[in-house]
Amino acid sequence: MRSIDAEHYWLEARFERREGWDDGVYPFNLPVLRKTETITFHPRVTFLVGENGAGKSTLIEALAVAWGFNPEGGNKNFGFDTRASHSPLHRFVRPVRSTRRAREGFFLRAESYFNLATEIERLDSEWGGPPVAPSFGKRALHEQSHGESFMALMDNKLHGDGLYIFDEPEAALSPTRQLTFLARLNELVNQRSQFIIATHSPIILGYPNAWIYQVSDHGVDRIEYEDTDHYQVTRNFLLRREMMLDVLMKE
C-alpha cells in the first residue's frame, strides 16, 4: 500500500486575517470567510461544493493564485492577463506544503478556458511551431469542441506527480465525458497526483474516498457524498421526475 503522506503536496490552506483584510468589502465579507480559518486537503482528491454565490469559486481561485498559478489558468509559466478580475483573497492564503515537491501543476477554470486555449495557440505561433504544440494533442484546441479540447488537455498536458486545481470542469463535459474524466483523474491520482476541484456535478463528486467540503454561510464543513444537495436533488428528480415537474410548473 502506498504512503498517503508521500503523495501530499498541499497539506492545508490557512487564512490569515492581517492588515488589509476588511470584513466590510468583497471578498472578505463573504459569510463563508467569517468562519473559515483553515482548509485541510485530502492527499488525493478534495472537492468544494456549494450553492451559486456561496464563494466556492472565489475560494478555488484564491487557492490557485496562492499556490502560484495564473488567475486565468495554466501552469506556473503562464502569465497572460485578459481581464484582471480575481480578488485579493490569495494574498491572505498561506499554503502549508509537504516536503514532497510537485513535478508539475495546472489550474483550469471553466469561465476562462477560452482565454487559456487562445493563449496556448498564441504561444505556439510565437514559437514558430505547428498550429498546436504536440503536448496538447494533434488538433488546435479551438478546432475542437469544448469537451474535446478539455479532454485533449487532460490527456496530453497532465502527466502526474502534480497538483491540479479545477473550477467546474463539468461545464465542458457531457455525462459520458464526465465518466471519462473520472477515469483519467484516477489514472493521474495513481501517478501521485493531488486534485482540488470545485464542482456541481454529482457524477464527478462520486469519485471514491475523496473529501467533500460544503461551502456555505456556516463556513467550510466536511460532508458525505449522499448528504450533498447535488446527490439528493439529482436522485429525487430522476426517481420522481413527473411529480417534481408538476410541483415546479404549477400555476
Side-chain angles (χ1 to χ4, degrees), residues 88-249:
L89 181 59
H90 65 277
R91 298 202 298 265
F92 301 86
V93 176
R94 183 162 71 87
V96 179
R97 307 168 189 254
S98 74
T99 56
R100 184 178 179 86
R101 188 179 181 87
R103 188 183 68 179
E104 67 172 29
F106 209 90
F107 176 38
L108 190 145
R109 55 189 309 176
E111 67 179 31
S112 58
Y113 182 74
F114 180 91
N115 300 339
L116 174 64
T118 301
E119 177 67 5
I120 290 169
E121 292 190 356
R122 185 190 70 81
L123 291 173
D124 290 338
S125 177
E126 282 190 359
W127 292 335
V132 62
S135 61
F136 285 93
K138 296 179 180 179
R139 295 166 57 203
L141 295 180
H142 280 314
E143 293 178 2
Q144 304 177 57
S145 73
H146 193 183
E148 287 175 330
S149 64
F150 178 90
M151 290 308 303
L153 189 149
M154 282 283 292
D155 290 337
N156 297 289
K157 184 58 181 174
L158 311 187
H159 305 104
D161 289 295
L163 174 72
Y164 307 115
I165 301 177
F166 291 170
D167 186 19
E168 299 184 3
E170 70 276 6
L173 304 173
S174 70
T176 300
R177 284 296 178 98
Q178 289 180 43
L179 295 175
T180 304
F181 170 84
L182 283 180
R184 178 61 181 145
L185 181 149
N186 191 59
E187 289 177 355
L188 291 165
V189 164
N190 289 331
Q191 294 167 358
R192 300 167 300 281
S193 297
Q194 184 180 17
F195 284 84
I196 303 170
I197 302 173
T199 183
H200 291 291
S201 168
I203 294 176
I204 291 176
L205 280 174
Y207 185 80
N209 303 316
W211 287 351
I212 301 174
Y213 285 104
Q214 177 82 37
V215 178
S216 71
D217 293 355
H218 303 292
V220 178
D221 302 301
R222 283 274 304 278
I223 188 172
E224 294 300 320
Y225 173 68
E226 291 79 5
D227 294 329
T228 63
D229 288 342
H230 309 69
Y231 170 83
Q232 292 187 5
V233 171
T234 302
R235 181 179 184 276
N236 287 336
F237 182 81
L238 293 175
L239 293 177
R240 303 176 180 87
R241 178 172 61 91
E242 292 184 1
M243 182 189 73
M244 291 187 71
L245 289 174
D246 286 343
V247 171
L248 289 169
M249 298 181 181

Side-chain angles (χ1 to χ4, degrees), residues 26-27 30 33 55-63 87 89 167:
Y26 176 83
L30 287 171
L33 290 175
K56 68 182 183 305
S57 288
T58 300
L59 283 175
I60 205 88
E61 173 193 83
L63 293 173
S87 79
L89 181 59
D167 186 19

